[in-house]
Amino acid sequence: MLARHHDPIVAIATAPGRGAVGIVRVSGKGLAALVQALCGRTLKPREATYLPFRDAQGQAIDQGLALYFPGPHSYTGEDVLELQAHGGPVVLQLLLARCLEAGAATDPATGQPCLPGLRVAQPGEFTERAFLNDKIDLAQAEAIADLIDASTEAAARSASRSLTGAFSAEIHTLRDALIHLRMLVEATLDFPEEEIDFLRKADAHGQLSNLQQTLASVMQRARQGALLREGIKVVIAGQPNAGKSSLLNALAGAELAIVTPIAGTTRDKVQQTIQIEGVPLHIIDTAGLRDSEDEVERIGIARAWDEIAGADAVLFLHDLSRQDAMEYIAAEAEIASALAQKLPQTIPVIDVWNKLDRAPAAAAIAAEGAGQAETRRGVWLSARTGEGLDGLRRILLEVAGWQSAPEGLYIARARHIEALRAVSAHLQEAADQLQAQGPALDLLAEELRLAQNALSAITGEFSSDDLLGVIFSSFCIGK
């Protein structure tokens, strides 16, 4: 534990701006003297007390509720004091300054500062204290931030399940089974002449196979949970006036982008996050792709290609009303060629044939392809009337990799997926060793040890200070 982890900390624990209630939170060891200085009295544990909050001269800053949580029965595991006042920014800043002032002031009973070393908390430091004091594990700590940042109801519910320990319980079940198998393998190292029969009788192969099957199930659920958290980035691309902005508006259900018959209306990206079955999709409308003499439009087109390059999926929008125009067909071929060159094959391109309401007979022409690859998905729709939008939504879910949400889905992060992949790789190496003739049991034991370390990194039982710094720095101050 770093030296700063022993410092008492204080911060405003509510969001910036005005509100009905604002909270200033203090955490540290031995807050009794500070409580007396701030509240003018002792407080009963876990009982709200209505009283004035006074400055050093005895003048009331505000009146509100004070709550005292003696450690270890608190959020951080340390003593915690919460001052709940009116949520004006100035009031909360005055209370924060008063806490720092009172902490440095001399306690008449001891002649020492009331709370020496009290400082303003860094982002996420309260939750970091909770982790370091074993109130929560690392996956639960991350779930707190995910719950706050959730962009859909499904993501919020999944983050809540992770916060209660659902994901951690799955990891602990895997870890316990892995530890049991490690003990079995390492015990055989002391009996080299009987090791193979010993492992066979203990069904080490069956235990390892069951571990891999359980891990596969956890990975599948974790991928779905990560999808709920992250979503995917979908870029709408195509020629000017193909209906890109209209499609964005139709998917979002709001007039977000300006729609006119004038080519080049959209000159910069317009982004909106929508949800389909709880999965967040970050839809980006871009400038029409064409050669242009307008400097501003050229910048917008360059930015469009930048967005396309970073997309998880691209909606290539085609205008059914212009399918017979030779100039339009040639431009389509150029865009298709550029997409093929600039995008990896792993990034799906979905052909969207728009303006079905203006050219209902053109669907058959569009189906012939215009260079469409056999593996490319396609959908025919009208962004103006909404016809065919449900089909596009279904395709987007398929592209995202979403399956019907299993019961009790938990939130997960990219680092969790990477850790589970590492576990899977180590278990496969272990299985290969176990199946080989004359297996090297020391190598088998090492692969199992590495698999356990990768699992433990998810819950923070095996982690570095650098990892903790990255995770908690993304939290808000006061949390």
Side-chain angles (χ1 to χ4, degrees):
M1 189 177 290
L2 300 177
R4 68 176 180 86
H5 294 144
H6 299 286
D7 296 340
I9 53 175
V10 60
I12 297 171
T14 40
R18 292 176 173 81
V21 177
I23 298 174
V24 174
R25 177 184 291 157
V26 185
S27 180
K29 296 179 180 178
L31 297 189
L34 182 71
V35 170
Q36 183 69 40
L38 291 172
C39 302
R41 52 172 293 181
T42 58
L43 298 175
K44 292 184 179 180
R46 292 171 293 282
E47 183 176 301
T49 304
Y50 182 70
L51 44 72
F53 305 132
R54 301 186 184 277
D55 62 19
Q57 288 72 45
Q59 300 296 314
I61 298 172
D62 193 6
Q63 294 200 29
L65 297 176
L67 294 99
Y68 175 53
F69 304 89
H73 305 297
S74 68
Y75 177 69
T76 64
E78 303 172 332
D79 292 350
V80 171
L81 174 66
E82 286 193 358
L83 306 178
Q84 300 184 6
H86 293 95
V90 174
V91 172
L92 295 177
Q93 287 293 338
L94 287 172
L95 278 178
L96 177 64
R98 174 61 184 140
C99 288
L100 293 168
E101 179 185 37
T106 301
D107 179 7
T110 64
Q112 300 294 322
C114 287
L115 194 60
L118 180 62
R119 60 174 173 80
V120 175
Q122 297 179 9
E125 196 164 3
F126 287 94
T127 304
E128 185 180 23
R129 296 283 175 94
F131 165 71
L132 293 172
N133 292 322
D134 296 323
K135 303 296 289 185
I136 54 176
D137 64 32
L138 194 55
Q140 289 174 295
E142 291 169 308
I144 294 171
D146 294 336
L147 183 58
I148 294 170
D149 294 337
S151 59
T152 68
E153 179 183 348
R157 291 184 182 277
S158 298
S160 180
R161 292 188 191 99
S162 288
L163 179 56
T164 60
F167 183 39
S168 300
E170 298 263 19
I171 299 304
H172 289 152
T173 298
L174 277 169
R175 182 205 59 190
D176 292 345
L178 187 51
I179 289 174
H180 183 270
L181 182 57
R182 276 192 66 194
M183 291 172 58
L184 176 65
V185 172
E186 292 182 10
T188 64
L189 294 176
D190 295 327
F191 305 97
E193 295 179 356
E194 303 177 8
E195 58 188 17
I196 303 304
D197 289 339
F198 186 75
L199 290 176
R200 187 179 297 114
K201 290 177 182 178
D203 192 22
H205 183 273
Q207 290 187 43
L208 182 53
S209 179
N210 289 337
L211 256 174
Q212 289 178 298
Q213 291 177 19
T214 304
L215 176 64
S217 175
V218 172
M219 286 184 69
Q220 191 274 331
R221 292 158 68 86
R223 288 191 194 99
Q224 298 293 288
L227 184 58
L228 280 182
R229 179 182 184 271
E230 305 288 349
I232 64 169
K233 176 181 175 181
V234 180
V235 176
I236 307 174
Q239 294 190 57
N241 279 350
K244 297 183 299 298
S245 298
S246 297
L247 181 58
L248 172 65
N249 292 343
L251 288 170
E255 297 297 319
L256 302 173
I258 299 173
V259 177
T260 76
I262 302 171
T265 298
T266 301
R267 299 197 169 200
D268 203 354
K269 69 175 183 179
V270 179
Q271 179 170 339
Q272 177 67 19
T273 297
I274 66 171
Q275 59 169 303
I276 305 175
E277 294 187 16
V279 179
L281 301 177
H282 312 293
I283 311 293
I284 300 174
D285 174 27
T286 57
L289 303 176
R290 65 170 180 176
D291 293 328
S292 175
E293 299 295 327
D294 187 304
E295 180 64 23
V296 175
E297 187 179 359
R298 284 209 306 270
I299 294 173
I301 293 169
R303 291 181 177 179
W305 281 113
D306 289 341
E307 293 296 334
I308 290 168
D312 296 309
V314 175
L315 300 182
F316 185 7
L317 209 61
H318 309 282
D319 186 347
L320 286 171
S321 67
R322 289 187 279 170
Q323 284 298 303
D324 295 331
M326 297 305 296
E327 183 178 349
Y328 175 83
I329 293 172
E332 288 282 271
E334 289 183 12
I335 295 173
S337 176
L339 287 172
Q341 293 176 8
K342 296 185 179 184
L343 283 178
Q345 292 184 353
T346 54
I347 304 301
V349 177
I350 303 165
D351 289 297
V352 180
W353 309 92
N354 188 30
K355 302 186 183 179
L356 192 57
D357 55 307
R358 292 175 55 181
I365 299 174
E368 295 177 2
Q372 183 180 18
E374 292 181 3
T375 57
R376 287 254 284 270
R377 293 178 174 89
V379 61
W380 290 263
L381 56 78
S382 168
R384 188 176 69 83
T385 67
E387 181 183 0
L389 280 180
D390 285 343
L392 177 58
R393 293 187 180 102
R394 286 194 298 272
I395 289 176
L396 287 172
L397 284 178
E398 291 175 12
V399 166
W402 179 249
Q403 301 169 7
S404 296
E407 188 67 25
L409 191 65
Y410 40 73
I411 209 76
R413 294 188 171 200
R415 80 168 190 91
H416 302 152
I417 305 299
E418 292 173 6
L420 290 172
R421 284 176 181 154
V423 175
S424 179
H426 290 305
L427 290 185
Q428 186 56 54
E429 287 289 338
D432 293 343
Q433 284 291 341
L434 193 57
Q435 291 173 354
Q437 289 189 351
L441 292 191
D442 53 343
L443 296 180
L444 172 59
E446 176 64 9
E447 291 297 340
L448 295 177
R449 184 189 70 83
L450 293 173
Q452 183 184 337
N453 286 349
L455 269 181
S456 297
I458 294 176
T459 54
E461 298 160 88
F462 182 85
S463 58
S464 67
D465 289 335
D466 289 342
L467 173 64
L468 299 184
V470 169
I471 290 173
F472 290 109
S473 67
S474 65
F475 281 60
C476 53
I477 294 176
K479 195 63 183 174

